[in-house]
Amino acid sequence: MSHATTDESVRALAGALARARHIAVLTGAGVSAESGIRTFRDTMEGLWKEFDPATLATPRAFARDPGTVSRWYDHRRLGCLAAEPNAAHNALAELERRTLARAGRFTLITQNVDRLHQRAGSRSVVELHGSIIEWRCTITGRRTTPPAKPLPAFPPPSPFHPEGLLRPDVVWFGEMLPESAVEAADEAARACDLFLSIGTSSVVYPAAGFIELAHAHGARVAEINLDATPLSSRAAWTIREKAGVALPGIVAAMPA
Ligand code: OAD
């Protein structure tokens, strides 16, 4: 591990980003924290204080109590719609524009389900854990984007099948990740020469595995996170700062 100061790491990383052929980025809940969206491992607020998110985010929980699970997800969906992209989302959108403008490649792999990257202007977003903004029929799989107001009933009936319910189009614990997203992330991790891991605890697989894969295929890894993670030792640069502070500084320090 290097003992570079934050300023030195920022300068070195800014230079590497300006030259990279293909930048792959993995984001986690820490990137949305400054938009007021609670990280998954944070405590729950208000009405939901006594619930453990890990026990609500499972197919079994939904099968047992679809009313409670859908109500919780609808509460989170409305929170995401009410939130605004923050300086970290904006800086990543700017980094993508600058990379494409000099004919580089850019892939943004996210574990976040809030769509804030897209709202900030990011284009090549791979949603590993789906999106809470869309819901799908439990029988036909058809997707719909409910309006920005509470769903009319819990559990919500599916408009596509008389026996179906609507469920959030997110990946629950114990479910497969969308195959096309995994393939896209896998390809980017192997092909990139610079991998940025931002605001993720790097404990949930397969997402954390993409950092290892990129490193094993020769990419240099940078980590921006408030805390150390199990994969910090793979990083050429570690920046222990809020993503919304670090990223705009890094993009501003990039040579033109
Ligand atoms: P976590 O909540 O596990 O980790 C968030 C990380 O971001 C932690 O390491 C924090 O230290 C860091 N962090 C918090 N605020 C930050 C900030 N402002 N700037 C930078 N870093 C900050 O979230 P994820 O790693 O995204 O999966 O969790 C991954 C998956 O775990 C989620 O997608 C969800 C959950 O299980 C599913 O639902 C399948």
Side-chain angles (χ1 to χ4, degrees):
M1 276 260 272
S2 81
H3 295 280
T5 66
T6 299
D7 280 358
E8 285 164 355
S9 295
V10 165
R11 254 196 316 273
L13 177 55
L17 285 167
R19 289 187 301 271
R21 207 173 19 78
H22 178 180
I23 301 169
V25 183
L26 174 68
T27 63
V31 168
S32 292
E34 291 159 77
S35 293
I37 295 176
R38 280 157 192 272
T39 59
F40 205 76
R41 271 153 249 289
D42 270 355
T43 44
M44 311 270 280
E45 83 274 41
L47 270 183
W48 298 100
K49 260 209 298 271
E50 75 253 42
F51 291 95
D52 172 1
T55 65
L56 289 174
T58 70
R60 267 187 64 201
F62 185 71
R64 197 166 41 217
D65 188 355
T68 300
V69 172
S70 57
R71 193 185 294 275
W72 181 58
Y73 273 93
D74 201 45
H75 169 75
R76 289 187 57 211
R77 176 181 74 92
L78 295 172
C80 293
L81 288 172
E84 292 295 332
N86 65 52
H89 297 106
N90 294 336
L92 286 170
E94 173 65 16
L95 182 59
E96 177 176 15
R97 282 191 287 275
R98 288 178 64 163
T99 307
L100 297 184
R102 61 175 178 78
R105 249 191 94 187
F106 191 90
T107 313
L108 177 44
I109 305 159
T110 189
Q111 298 166 87
N112 299 341
V113 296
D114 52 37
R115 289 267 158 98
L116 289 178
H117 283 305
Q118 290 92 330
R119 284 173 55 198
S122 287
R123 307 303 285 268
S124 60
V125 183
V126 176
E127 292 181 325
L128 273 184
H129 292 167
S131 165
I132 200 170
I133 304 304
E134 290 182 50
W135 289 49
R136 68 171 196 258
C137 173
T138 50
I139 294 190
T140 66
R142 271 185 72 183
R143 291 183 175 80
T144 178
T145 305
K149 57 177 190 210
L151 290 172
F154 298 103
S158 166
F160 306 119
H161 193 284
E163 282 154 41
L165 296 176
L166 282 182
R167 59 157 284 180
D169 193 28
V170 299
V171 176
W172 282 328
F173 291 104
E175 291 187 319
M176 304 281 286
L177 274 64
E179 204 175 317
S180 58
V182 172
E183 277 168 16
D186 188 89
E187 190 277 325
R190 289 169 195 274
C192 71
D193 53 338
L194 189 47
F195 192 100
L196 266 179
S197 164
I198 313 171
T200 174
S201 56
S202 299
V203 294
V204 175
Y205 281 78
F210 296 122
I211 306 171
E212 295 172 307
L213 188 64
H215 184 258
H217 280 77
R220 284 185 297 173
V221 174
E223 183 180 71
I224 301 170
N225 206 71
L226 286 177
D227 304 308
T229 76
L231 297 182
S232 298
S233 60
R234 306 278 209 290
W237 304 283
T238 49
I239 297 173
R240 301 261 166 268
E241 234 174 20
K242 287 187 173 181
V245 174
L247 278 165
I250 292 164
V251 172
M254 282 170 65

